[in-house]
Amino acid sequence: MSTSNPAPSGRFSLAGQTALVTGSSRGIGLASARALAEQGAKVILNGRTRQTLADAAAGLRQAGLDIIEAPFDASNIDESIATVDRLTDEHGPIQIFMANAAMQHRESLLTFPQKKFEEVLALNLTAQWALGRHLAAQMVQHQYGRIIVTGSVTALQGRSDITAYTVAKAGLHALARQWAVELSPHNITVNAVAPGYIATEFNEPLQNDDRFNQWLFDRVPQKKWGRPEDIANAVCYLASREASFVTGQTLAVDGGFTTAL
Ligand SMILES: NC(=O)c1ccc[n+]([C@@H]2O[C@H](COP(=O)([O-])OP(=O)(O)OC[C@H]3O[C@@H](n4cnc5c(N)ncnc54)[C@H](OP(=O)(O)O)[C@@H]3O)[C@@H](O)[C@H]2O)c1
């Protein structure tokens, strides 16, 4: 089976580049990995469940895309860094990093356990910071890079029961701004995508909740759930050489959710 990419040349081509997307065996990460690979990048696919990861990788390879599997738990910083170092030794430097793995825990602030709060922040913010910093150091050596963090519209608006998640996502939006300033001299851009409500396994209970759907369709001007591909398209743009003058931004991809009162 061929693993050679179509490697489109011309505008928005990512031919010759390697991308790492954490949390990419399904959902937004998988759609983004596919889109980056379709633009010509070699893509490192990540997730904890080996079989899901292998199935996702097989599906992409069947489409002729150049995929490397990297099973690791992104909350384990030492394991993540060791895996990435091994892969860069084998395959060369990573130019595009999408920090996407995250977890959710819904509970009232009155009972939210501190241990759970710390666990959510450890994966959603600290681990993204640590792996991102490690990769940023490599990008500085090569004087080129694109870092994209997956934020959330819930970090731009208030919502009950998910403080740990939104605090971490707001931290990622801030990280994109801070790093954009610090890394600009090195030809590295850092941006956040803030997905609105995107239909994935992450929020399956909400998709099946009639009251939530009613609220969503009243609240979102486009009156629909987004698709993982909607985020992937924005990621491809931010990952491209053509987006070189765009940095430190949080791009909401949300069907108008954050623009409407
Ligand atoms: N869906 C939405 O409406 C929405 C809205 C705003 C923001 N987001 C953000 O978008 C990102 C992706 O969400 P999604 O909806 O695509 O989720 P999803 O469908 O549940 O997919 C999550 C992916 O991440 C992997 N993963 C989870 N924990 C991991 C860990 N510790 N280490 C490595 N991989 C891990 C999962 O595989 P394994 O379980 O096998 O590890 C899976 O591949 C997240 O950052 C989320 O916060 C989503």
Side-chain angles (χ1 to χ4, degrees):
M1 188 186 307
S2 164
T3 55
S4 63
N5 277 3
S9 55
R11 200 172 288 187
F12 302 115
S13 169
L14 300 175
Q17 298 189 44
T18 300
L20 165 64
V21 183
T22 59
S24 50
S25 60
R26 58 173 194 266
I28 289 169
L30 177 57
S32 300
R34 173 185 281 274
L36 293 168
E38 284 173 351
Q39 287 310 111
K42 181 196 290 280
V43 177
I44 302 169
L45 213 62
N46 160 251
R48 292 163 303 175
T49 316
R50 281 174 187 268
Q51 193 55 53
T52 313
L53 185 66
D55 291 346
L60 297 183
R61 287 193 190 109
Q62 231 161 34
L65 303 173
D66 196 354
I67 301 296
I68 300 165
E69 284 162 58
F72 62 84
D73 182 340
S75 68
N76 182 333
I77 293 171
D78 290 344
E79 185 195 5
S80 305
I81 289 178
T83 308
V84 163
D85 283 350
R86 181 175 51 74
L87 290 173
T88 47
D89 282 351
E90 275 173 40
H91 300 279
I94 289 167
Q95 289 81 17
I96 300 162
F97 173 48
M98 180 179 180
N100 178 69
M103 66 182 286
Q104 178 61 288
H105 179 78
R106 296 174 204 277
E107 190 168 337
S108 161
L109 74 92
L110 302 179
T111 54
F112 208 104
Q114 181 176 333
K115 198 165 180 310
K116 215 23 142 179
F117 184 84
E118 287 167 357
E119 195 185 319
V120 174
L121 260 80
L123 172 62
N124 294 11
L125 183 57
T126 310
Q128 312 308 317
W129 168 82
L131 187 56
R133 181 177 71 153
H134 187 72
L135 285 166
Q138 296 182 7
M139 291 173 185
V140 166
Q141 273 177 21
H142 297 279
Q143 291 290 294
Y144 183 82
R146 296 281 181 263
I147 298 175
I148 300 144
V149 296
T150 309
S152 173
V153 293
T154 58
L156 303 170
Q157 314 251 306
R159 187 162 182 87
S160 296
D161 297 345
I162 55 169
T163 305
Y165 177 83
T166 54
V167 164
K169 292 299 189 181
L172 288 180
H173 296 177
L175 178 149
R177 283 193 297 274
Q178 302 299 319
W179 285 13
V181 173
E182 210 163 329
L183 294 172
S184 277
H186 304 289
N187 204 18
I188 299 166
T189 65
V190 190
N191 290 287
V193 277
Y197 287 92
I198 310 297
T200 68
E201 223 172 269
F202 201 69
N203 48 33
E204 225 161 42
L206 297 179
Q207 292 166 54
N208 297 325
D209 178 336
D210 288 344
R211 278 184 52 195
F212 185 83
N213 277 311
Q214 191 54 55
W215 173 83
L216 186 81
F217 299 148
D218 286 346
R219 187 65 188 72
V220 176
Q222 290 190 357
K223 299 198 180 307
K224 61 181 182 186
W225 285 84
R227 301 163 308 133
E229 292 74 20
D230 294 319
I231 308 305
N233 292 335
V235 167
C236 270
Y237 169 65
L238 294 172
S240 71
R241 288 186 183 279
E242 286 73 9
S244 62
F245 205 47
V246 179
T247 195
Q249 300 302 307
T250 294
L251 175 59
V253 182
D254 65 355
F257 177 73
T258 46
T259 53
L261 268 178

